[in-house]
Amino acid sequence: MKGFETNVLILLLAFIQFTGYAQSEKYMINNSIITPLIDGKNPSITFEKLVIEPANLFIQSKPRNENSPHIQLELNVVENNAKYSTFLWYYKISSDSIKTNYPKAYKNYSFDLKIKKEEVALVIEKLDFGKTIFIDLGQKIIIGNLEILFKDCVGEWSEDINGNQTDAFNTYNISLFEENDQKTISFISLNKDTKKERYIEWKNYKILILEDSEKELKLKVFKTDS
């Protein structure tokens, strides 16, 4: 009977490790790392060749103003001598101008937040086709054999015959690479009034532009039949 009770206790402890975010150590699910975070500075995490530093988690149940997120994670990713720094923001209520901005993509990895009430976990996994991602200005991401570089964003405007500004928009340049092939594609800001998506087709890839801003693009990448 004691042996049976011991086995039940072991199974219970194993189950607890994979539920909620209260555990103190990271765990693996489907080749991704999920690690719970605490308010403030968190310990570094290693994933393959990366050292991930959840430098500071800031949680506020009542934001100071409408532009302030409920949850903000300052994230540093170090690989050899290269360092990538970004922020992941969560808003309980989003609007056209204020939106959650993750999962963030860097090289062939994505960094996501998993939120359950006031408990927060960081999810790190390999990029894959068909998933929504955010790419920061100046960053390159890798999905399969495809590399995408958010090269630059140029602010422009149009004028009427009297020289009055009639419209302001951004022109975005992204570069696509596959083996020895490369192409740079330009497009202008999405029309937010129509809420229509824009897509780019190159070789056997289709890239949906879901949202754009001066600092990041929201994309979804598909591989089509050749």
Side-chain angles (χ1 to χ4, degrees):
M1 187 69 179
K2 286 185 178 180
F4 174 76
E5 290 175 350
T6 301
N7 289 336
V8 170
L9 180 61
I10 291 171
L11 287 172
L12 215 76
L13 289 172
F15 176 76
I16 290 171
Q17 289 294 318
F18 289 88
T19 57
Y21 307 133
Q23 69 276 17
S24 59
E25 295 184 358
K26 63 181 183 291
Y27 56 90
M28 297 284 294
I29 294 181
N30 297 330
N31 296 319
S32 66
I33 285 182
I34 302 176
T35 184
L37 303 175
I38 59 172
D39 203 359
K41 187 174 177 60
N42 288 268
S44 298
I45 307 157
T46 56
F47 184 59
E48 297 186 349
K49 295 181 180 180
L50 301 182
V51 177
I52 299 105
E53 301 171 352
N56 190 36
L57 177 67
F58 181 54
I59 301 174
Q60 49 181 351
S61 55
K62 294 183 179 180
R64 294 187 297 270
N65 55 63
E66 63 178 12
N67 296 318
S68 183
H70 290 78
I71 296 173
Q72 172 180 285
L73 176 65
E74 180 185 354
L75 188 69
N76 298 319
V77 181
V78 181
E79 184 180 16
N80 299 324
N81 295 322
K83 184 177 181 179
Y84 164 62
S85 298
T86 191
F87 287 90
L88 277 58
W89 296 322
Y90 168 75
Y91 297 86
K92 288 182 180 176
I93 301 174
S94 65
S95 66
D96 289 339
S97 58
I98 303 173
K99 293 182 180 292
T100 295
N101 68 339
Y102 58 82
K104 281 289 183 72
Y106 169 71
K107 293 194 173 179
N108 56 335
Y109 304 93
S110 74
F111 303 91
D112 204 352
L113 291 182
K114 199 164 187 169
I115 297 167
K116 185 178 180 182
K117 295 183 178 179
E118 294 299 310
E119 297 176 332
V120 182
L122 177 64
V123 182
I124 308 160
E125 60 186 346
K126 288 290 194 72
L127 288 181
D128 201 0
F129 294 103
K131 293 187 176 181
T132 301
I133 52 173
F134 286 83
I135 175 173
D136 285 340
L137 177 64
Q139 294 301 318
K140 179 185 285 188
I141 64 172
I142 304 166
I143 306 179
N145 294 323
L146 176 66
E147 298 183 17
I148 304 172
L149 170 65
F150 181 6
K151 192 174 180 182
D152 55 39
C153 169
V154 180
E156 300 185 69
W157 63 90
S158 56
E159 297 179 348
D160 60 21
I161 57 174
N162 298 316
N164 299 314
Q165 181 177 316
T166 58
D167 193 19
F169 56 92
N170 293 325
T171 296
Y172 300 92
N173 295 302
I174 64 172
S175 294
L176 308 176
F177 307 85
E178 186 186 47
E179 297 178 347
N180 296 322
D181 296 331
Q182 184 266 332
K183 185 174 184 178
T184 297
I185 298 175
S186 300
F187 59 92
I188 62 171
S189 306
L190 297 172
N191 187 333
K192 294 182 180 179
D193 294 332
T194 62
K195 300 188 183 297
K196 287 185 65 175
E197 299 170 348
R198 178 176 286 113
Y199 66 89
I200 294 168
E201 290 185 299
W202 182 63
K203 301 183 76 169
N204 59 329
Y205 300 102
K206 184 174 182 178
I207 304 167
L208 288 182
I209 314 295
L210 303 174
E211 294 174 16
D212 57 60
S213 73
E214 295 176 354
K215 295 183 178 180
E216 63 193 14
L217 296 174
K218 184 179 180 181
L219 311 175
K220 190 178 284 189
V221 184
F222 299 94
K223 190 170 185 180
T224 58
D225 294 333
S226 328

